[in-house]
Amino acid sequence: MSGLSGWHTRSHPHPSRGTFTPSSDTLIAGVIRSTHLYPRQLVAAFFVPDFVIDTEGRVLQLNSEEEKGAIYQILSRATSDKIPLAGGYNNQWRIFHPRTDFPIYKLKIPNTEAGKVDVVSVYGLSKSTMTLEKLVGGYTELPEVLQEGFTLIDEARTTSAKGEGDSSLARTVGDLIGEL
């Protein structure tokens, strides 16, 4: 993986966190995780100009402009036309597992130029297996950019950053992304 690993723990509380108000107009990209119990659990969301909201509802700022640009680039590549469409609901790539009932991760990026929302999702995201249930556009495994992007953003759910969270903010942002 790129040198971006650990981005979440390097992030710090945003100096303007008290003035942050989430809006679809300022959303750059967001990832939610869907399970039967929690269909719109926020993983992380990125807002203009430099706000990051994590799964705990912490309002963070990335460590550097370079890190911000690199993360945005990976997320943009994940929804680019260079990656084939998986088809189905929310353009879902399905990782093969011997059992079912895994979470679905959904990346949504508002595309204001095209007047739509670019969406890609991964069912059964795993660090140990990338084998797909069925062939997608010649791929037998999850494309590297999707594996890297989703695993990278999942750090906001599996690591801890500095600052206090706000669970109601996390729910609000998760719902905002889910409704796009």
Side-chain angles (χ1 to χ4, degrees):
M1 192 185 310
S2 66
L4 296 170
S5 183
W7 70 270
H8 186 248
T9 56
R10 287 189 300 274
S11 297
H12 51 275
H14 198 288
S16 300
R17 63 189 171 275
T19 64
F20 174 75
T21 302
S23 127
S24 59
D25 294 335
T26 59
L27 179 69
I28 296 168
V31 176
I32 55 175
R33 182 176 181 265
S34 297
T35 65
H36 291 295
L37 291 176
Y38 305 102
R40 293 179 175 175
Q41 179 189 30
L42 176 67
V43 177
F46 301 85
F47 292 87
V48 172
D50 60 354
F51 292 96
V52 180
I53 312 305
D54 72 3
T55 197
E56 296 295 325
R58 288 180 281 251
V59 182
L60 304 170
Q61 188 175 43
L62 292 172
N63 190 45
S64 69
E65 284 295 315
E66 293 79 20
E67 196 162 75
K68 178 175 91 172
I71 289 172
Y72 292 176
Q73 183 180 37
I74 289 170
L75 296 177
S76 293
R77 285 186 14 235
T79 60
S80 78
D81 58 6
K82 293 181 175 149
I83 302 296
L85 295 175
Y89 181 68
N90 283 317
N91 186 26
Q92 188 177 111
W93 293 75
R94 295 184 64 86
I95 306 296
F96 174 78
H97 292 282
R99 65 177 183 83
T100 60
D101 202 29
F102 283 89
I104 300 167
Y105 286 78
K106 296 175 195 164
L107 166 62
K108 295 186 175 187
I109 299 177
N111 184 337
T112 52
E113 290 176 12
K116 64 180 182 117
V117 176
D118 295 325
V119 179
V120 64
S121 59
V122 175
Y123 167 81
L125 182 67
S126 169
K127 290 181 182 179
S128 61
T129 182
M130 296 189 303
T131 303
L132 297 173
E133 283 184 6
K134 65 179 184 173
L135 189 70
V136 175
Y139 286 89
T140 58
E141 292 193 341
L142 189 66
E144 187 177 316
V145 69
L146 295 180
Q147 180 70 19
E148 180 180 19
F150 280 97
T151 301
L152 188 66
I153 300 307
D154 199 40
E155 287 184 23
R157 193 182 63 79
T158 59
T159 65
S160 186
K162 299 172 201 86
E164 289 189 30
D166 177 349
S167 60
S168 67
L169 177 61
R171 279 191 304 280
T172 297
V173 173
D175 287 345
L176 182 143
I177 295 165
E179 291 169 6
L180 291 177

